[in-house]
Amino acid sequence: MKEITIDKAWRGAERCKNCAIRHLVLFSDLSHQDFDRIHQPIDDLEYEPGTRLYHQGEELRYVYTVRSGLIKLVQHLPNGTQRIVRLLRQGDLAGLEGLGGQVADHDAVTLDHASVCRIPVPVIRDLQRETPNLHDSLMRRWQKALSGADNWITRLSTGNARQRVARLLLLLDEASTDDSFFLPTREDMGAMLGITTESASKVTADFRRRGWLKPLGGHRAWIDARALQEEVD
Amino acid sequence: MKEITIDKAWRGAERCKNCAIRHLVLFSDLSHQDFDRIHQPIDDLEYEPGTRLYHQGEELRYVYTVRSGLIKLVQHLPNGTQRIVRLLRQGDLAGLEGLGGQVADHDAVTLDHASVCRIPVPVIRDLQRETPNLHDSLMRRWQKALSGADNWITRLSTGNARQRVARLLLLLDEASTDDSFFLPTREDMGAMLGITTESASKVTADFRRRGWLKPLGGHRAWIDARALQEEVD
DNA sequence: CCGGGGAATTGAAAATCTTCAATGCATCCC
DNA sequence: GGGATGCATTGAAGATTTTCAATTCCCCGG
């Protein structure tokens, strides 16, 4: 795990003021003086694929803003099976539940290379107490997380395997600014869709043979969105 | 639809102060003077089974607190299929997304007879601006809704039909204070679990034949939680 | 008490998905 | 370059689920 730490708290806040994607992140509504209330370092971290930011059941001392990359939230069942319940991308928050003092509901694991801001929970608590500007922003995050979860159920956990894979590919495609997107392993696709690795593989391979999905190397791919959309309807 | 409306705003607030389940609802942390800030009527409503509180895409003028009964949140896909993404019970909120000005993400429909408090969105907005007491309470609601959604994915949308039905019955049983619980129609069970009505029926009937599920009439039932729990593991 | 009607159940055949095992492919690391 | 390794792919058999079409059951109103 590479980790580029900003040592001084003020430098962290300074960086936040000038953050290139500040309009997307939690602090979008803060005034410049609000940033002066930040007394603990906000670190800007880079993670390799497969890094676990925290795991289910752990105390959450930080909340994480995704600057780039994809993060999976994995939930484990008592019987040992596991399920990916959401994907986080640019602007999304991981570890929101830490704000209420709860332990982590999931494992958070980077899928590809990811760039993440790590914000100490007390920083957000303090800001929240002293300025109202954060509330709307936070509520939008909760709202977004919840609608993400709902979509996961209706789009990715409903219908047959072909439809689910098609919807997942469309979702990954939309999420990308690029015209290519990150293609997860078949195992992860299975865990997202509630199907086996092999089923995910069979459908994916079929889409590829039909020319609707083109792997571009380096875990990236392109899709014929129109064709896949038809598959869904 | 029966509707018992409290005409005067202050009466609504007065009722809130003395609400028997106030510790469970949104206003648990408010001080007595906070209630004086309420300038629009909070109505206490009774709904028959199958009543729709609002539908997907509609502007949300109210947020609803469930006092008793069960409410399903139904999401429709463009292709016409629909999926139940959550069940709300005592203390849960429906229409949370209205606080951010969004349109409704779902249809909200009562499953059984339900008693609900209808709170105008501006009431919550005003309270939120003028007192910080509501914030924690609200955040806990978001958190709870989100963890409900996650559970829906991992427990009710994972595994084979038997496991899903078993988990649903266990969840309904836990949700009930009583030792009996509300047993949904097979169609609703299917929509919750992402399986067909017939599959839900076949599994349910099998559980009944094994003596693990006993219908008690009036859409209520009892389960052998231990036996069903084994089925899940 | 007696239909009527919606919901539930059931069966059989077809479709889909999983399982398990084998093989192929790409990439990473000397 | 060349294995080694981890994914991905594929096939065949078995299990599960869906589909579609009957019944059957149960509750409600007359």
Side-chain angles (χ1 to χ4, degrees):
Chain A
M1 183 179 89
K2 275 179 292 185
E3 186 170 308
I4 304 165
T5 302
I6 311 305
D7 293 39
K8 299 273 193 289
W10 64 267
R11 281 219 50 204
E14 210 57 42
R15 283 175 65 98
C16 286
K17 287 186 200 172
N18 304 312
C19 172
I21 58 165
R22 192 177 129 197
H23 63 291
L24 288 174
V25 301
L26 190 59
F27 293 158
S28 56
D29 295 336
L30 293 191
S31 69
H32 271 223
Q33 66 229 35
D34 288 336
F35 283 104
D36 298 336
R37 300 181 193 276
I38 296 176
H39 301 307
Q40 281 184 58
I42 295 169
D43 293 336
D44 192 2
L45 306 171
E46 304 276 331
Y47 294 108
E48 295 173 35
T51 308
R52 195 174 57 188
L53 276 60
Y54 54 80
H55 59 76
Q56 191 175 347
E58 183 181 310
E59 300 280 345
L60 283 165
R61 297 168 49 216
Y62 304 97
V63 168
Y64 303 83
T65 299
V66 181
R67 293 170 54 82
S68 71
L70 279 178
I71 291 179
K72 62 178 174 182
L73 297 187
V74 186
Q75 205 162 53
H76 300 263
L77 282 173
N79 76 14
T81 58
Q82 59 182 58
R83 183 86 197 255
I84 298 175
V85 299
R86 232 164 313 134
L87 284 184
L88 306 182
R89 53 178 191 261
Q90 191 171 76
D92 290 331
L93 289 184
L96 259 183
E97 63 268 36
L99 294 181
Q102 286 96 343
V103 297
D105 273 341
H106 333 88
D107 288 2
V109 180
T110 57
L111 276 189
D112 52 355
H113 181 89
S115 166
V116 170
C117 277
R118 189 179 67 181
I119 310 167
V121 165
V123 166
I124 297 180
R125 289 238 185 86
D126 290 350
L127 283 171
Q128 211 174 357
R129 190 179 315 112
E130 297 172 26
T131 153
N133 294 336
L134 202 53
H135 298 135
D136 282 1
S137 193
L138 257 180
M139 199 175 67
R140 276 196 298 274
R141 303 300 149 154
W142 283 108
Q143 159 63 25
K144 195 177 170 198
L146 195 52
S147 89
D150 288 342
N151 271 317
W152 204 267
I153 299 169
T154 37
R155 308 185 109 84
L156 302 187
S157 307
T158 305
N160 61 29
R162 286 181 74 77
Q163 296 173 313
R164 293 189 195 189
V165 172
R167 290 207 194 93
L168 174 59
L169 294 175
L170 286 166
L171 186 141
L172 289 165
D173 185 43
E174 283 167 32
S176 174
T177 48
D178 210 337
D179 56 341
S180 75
F181 62 89
F182 179 84
L183 185 66
T185 66
R186 304 303 170 271
E187 189 176 2
D188 276 344
M189 289 175 66
M192 293 179 207
L193 303 174
I195 61 181
T196 59
T197 303
E198 292 90 338
S199 291
S201 176
K202 281 167 191 175
V203 175
T204 305
D206 181 61
F207 285 170
R208 182 170 40 65
R209 278 189 291 269
R210 291 170 190 267
W212 300 344
L213 169 72
K214 293 195 190 303
L216 304 175
H219 282 212
R220 298 198 70 80
W222 166 95
I223 53 164
D224 180 345
R226 193 175 308 270
L228 288 178
Q229 188 57 55
E230 265 179 50
E231 195 66 20
V232 163
D233 299 332
Chain B
M1 182 179 89
K2 276 181 289 185
E3 184 172 307
I4 303 163
T5 301
I6 312 306
D7 293 42
K8 299 273 193 288
W10 64 267
R11 281 219 49 206
E14 211 55 45
R15 282 175 65 97
C16 286
K17 287 186 201 174
N18 303 314
C19 171
I21 60 165
R22 193 177 128 198
H23 62 291
L24 288 174
V25 302
L26 189 59
F27 293 159
S28 55
D29 296 335
L30 293 190
S31 68
H32 271 223
Q33 64 229 37
D34 289 333
F35 283 103
D36 298 336
R37 301 180 192 277
I38 296 175
H39 300 307
Q40 283 185 58
I42 294 169
D43 293 337
D44 193 1
L45 306 171
E46 303 276 331
Y47 295 107
E48 295 174 35
T51 310
R52 197 174 55 188
L53 276 61
Y54 54 82
H55 57 76
Q56 191 174 346
E58 182 181 312
E59 300 280 344
L60 282 165
R61 297 167 49 215
Y62 305 97
V63 168
Y64 303 81
T65 298
V66 180
R67 292 169 55 82
S68 71
L70 279 179
I71 291 180
K72 60 177 173 182
L73 297 186
V74 186
Q75 206 163 53
H76 300 264
L77 281 174
N79 76 14
T81 59
Q82 59 182 58
R83 182 83 197 255
I84 298 174
V85 298
R86 232 165 311 135
L87 284 184
L88 306 182
R89 53 178 190 261
Q90 191 172 75
D92 290 331
L93 290 183
L96 259 183
E97 63 268 35
L99 293 181
Q102 287 97 340
V103 298
D105 273 341
H106 332 87
D107 289 2
V109 181
T110 57
L111 275 189
D112 52 355
H113 180 91
S115 165
V116 170
C117 279
R118 190 179 66 182
I119 310 167
V121 165
V123 166
I124 296 179
R125 288 236 185 88
D126 290 350
L127 283 172
Q128 211 174 357
R129 189 178 317 112
E130 297 171 27
T131 153
N133 294 336
L134 202 53
H135 298 137
D136 282 359
S137 194
L138 257 179
M139 198 174 69
R140 275 197 299 276
R141 302 301 149 152
W142 283 109
Q143 159 63 25
K144 194 176 170 197
L146 196 52
S147 89
D150 288 341
N151 271 319
W152 205 267
I153 298 170
T154 38
R155 307 185 109 85
L156 301 187
S157 306
T158 304
N160 62 29
R162 285 181 76 78
Q163 296 173 314
R164 295 189 195 187
V165 172
R167 289 208 195 91
L168 174 60
L169 294 174
L170 286 167
L171 186 141
L172 289 165
D173 185 43
E174 282 167 32
S176 173
T177 48
D178 209 337
D179 56 341
S180 74
F181 62 90
F182 179 84
L183 186 65
T185 66
R186 304 303 171 268
E187 189 177 2
D188 275 344
M189 289 175 64
M192 292 179 209
L193 303 174
I195 61 181
T196 59
T197 303
E198 290 91 338
S199 291
S201 176
K202 281 167 193 178
V203 175
T204 305
D206 181 60
F207 285 169
R208 182 170 39 67
R209 278 189 291 268
R210 291 170 191 268
W212 300 344
L213 170 71
K214 294 196 189 303
L216 304 174
H219 282 214
R220 298 198 71 79
W222 166 95
I223 52 164
D224 180 345
R226 193 175 309 270
L228 288 178
Q229 188 59 54
E230 264 178 52
E231 195 67 19
V232 164
D233 300 333

